[in-house]
Amino acid sequence: MTIKKLSTPQVPLNIFKLAVLVSGRGSNLQAIMDSIDREELDAHLSIVISNTKDAMALKRAEKHEIKTIFIDPSNYSSSKEYDKALVLKLKEFSIDLICLAGYMRILGEEIIQTFEKKIINIHPSLLPAFPGLNAQKQAINHGVKFSGCTVHFVDSGVDSGPIILQTVVPVYDNDDEKSLSKRILEQEHYLYPKAIKMIQENKIRLNGRTVTSKTI
Ligand code: GRF
């Protein structure tokens, strides 16, 4: 486990603490950090954790002087052991909400139960359509006229947890995976901080698998 600690900022005692789990590019992480910087989101990003050593997301976090941890999967004998290390880290930082942002590992039961209703994910389709990998390609191949993005709670299935917020984007006749991904990603960057803010402000209620919210 490699921990990079870039600064020791004063963290107000009762502030809402976030962890963001990443594997790659980190543009959603960037949107969250920018939203905190602009003081639109009243939260502290306590830790960014990656399973990939060279993730661009780690560089983005370091640039913002956010603490980062690389947890190397090759140091653990199983996914279960890996998740145990992850749970310990998240507990150590007293995290209020865990945001998956392009995190490419499936979370096991232990972590999902330990942080019940405290893990959210963003997915580039209008769930329940097109869960899993290459959602934008799935949408193009299916010939849908609208797609979009979804922020949802994470449960033990693949992209199957209760839906918090969605944004719709049109799919045009000349779209390919790349152009559709770009249009969706632009919306992701608004939607994810908005969903985090609603949770932080306690504006979300979960009833079975239905999420209701007061508008903000
Ligand atoms: C996003 O499209 C997100 O919806 C999906 O993975 C991608 C991550 O992109 N879960 P980035 O790393 O946030 O740029």
Side-chain angles (χ1 to χ4, degrees), residues 140-157:
I140 292 282
N141 290 345
H142 200 88
V144 293
K145 303 299 179 198
F146 292 93
S147 189
C149 45
T150 303
V151 178
H152 63 94
F153 285 108
V154 173
D155 65 10
S156 54

Side-chain angles (χ1 to χ4, degrees), residues 1-3 47-50 58 68-71 89 93:
M1 195 178 300
T2 316
I3 304 183
I47 189 76
V48 172
I49 302 178
S50 175
L58 288 177
T68 62
I69 305 180
F70 162 54
I71 308 182
K89 261 303 148 212
F93 284 88

Side-chain angles (χ1 to χ4, degrees), residues 99 128 163 167:
C99 306
I163 291 169
T167 300

Side-chain angles (χ1 to χ4, degrees), residues 199-215:
I199 294 170
Q200 182 261 321
E201 292 180 345
N202 201 21
K203 288 185 168 156
I204 289 214
R205 294 286 170 273
L206 185 56
N207 241 327
R209 60 161 300 121
T210 304
V211 173
T212 51
S213 58
K214 294 183 197 160
T215 44

Side-chain angles (χ1 to χ4, degrees), residues 16 23 27 35 72 75 81 91 95 112 116 135 174 205:
F16 193 76
S23 299
S27 68
S35 180
D72 187 348
N75 289 338
E81 292 304 309
K91 281 186 175 169
I95 294 300
I112 287 169
E116 204 192 347
N174 58 354
R205 294 286 170 273

Side-chain angles (χ1 to χ4, degrees), residues 24-28 101-102 121-124 136 185 188:
R25 180 177 55 185
S27 68
N28 278 289
N121 181 42
I122 186 152
H123 183 77
Q136 304 92 332
L185 192 64
E188 291 184 35

